Amino acid sequence: MDRLHFFSPVRIARGQGHPVEEVDSVAEAMVFLQKWPAGRRGPVYQCALNCCSAALSGRMSAEEARKAFTGFARITRLLDDDMALPIGGEGMDRVYALRR
């Protein structure tokens, strides 16, 4: 596996009627971020962009950049709901706590 590929993709859900998009690598995350509207670029966006840039230059791992990009997707409400669910047989209380 390429050092810039994510161990698991970040699933982006743009809303009903749009297919779920999978971002598999730092390069794909950078393309996504560069297309993000300038008027909606806040500190979380900048953090994700900085982390992806650092990963591209070898100063950060792809997984660290993935975490920043996932945080950006979560804050902007683009993270697919399936990614927010815990893995394993945890109770529904835990599921609802993650979605608050």
Side-chain angles (χ1 to χ4, degrees):
M1 179 168 63
D2 180 335
R3 72 170 185 84
L4 295 176
H5 272 80
F6 299 151
F7 286 123
S8 61
V10 178
R11 295 173 46 91
I12 302 293
R14 294 183 186 262
Q16 207 167 23
H18 296 279
V20 172
E21 181 181 341
E22 290 191 344
V23 177
D24 295 318
S25 68
V26 174
E28 288 180 20
M30 281 295 286
V31 169
F32 186 92
L33 291 167
Q34 289 168 343
K35 291 180 181 178
W36 192 248
R40 296 186 63 199
R41 295 179 181 184
V44 176
Y45 165 87
Q46 195 61 52
C47 176
L49 186 71
N50 291 346
C51 289
C52 288
S53 293
L56 285 173
S57 67
R59 294 177 289 136
M60 182 177 280
S61 74
E63 286 308 298
E64 290 170 312
R66 181 189 181 280
K67 287 178 186 177
F69 183 72
T70 301
F72 163 78
R74 180 175 288 117
I75 294 295
T76 57
R77 299 187 179 269
L78 291 174
L79 189 65
D80 184 46
D81 283 344
D82 290 344
M83 289 194 70
L85 297 176
I87 297 173
E90 302 208 19
M92 289 306 287
D93 291 339
R94 175 90 172 117
V95 171
Y96 290 123
L98 289 171
R99 291 188 170 193
R100 283 188 204 136

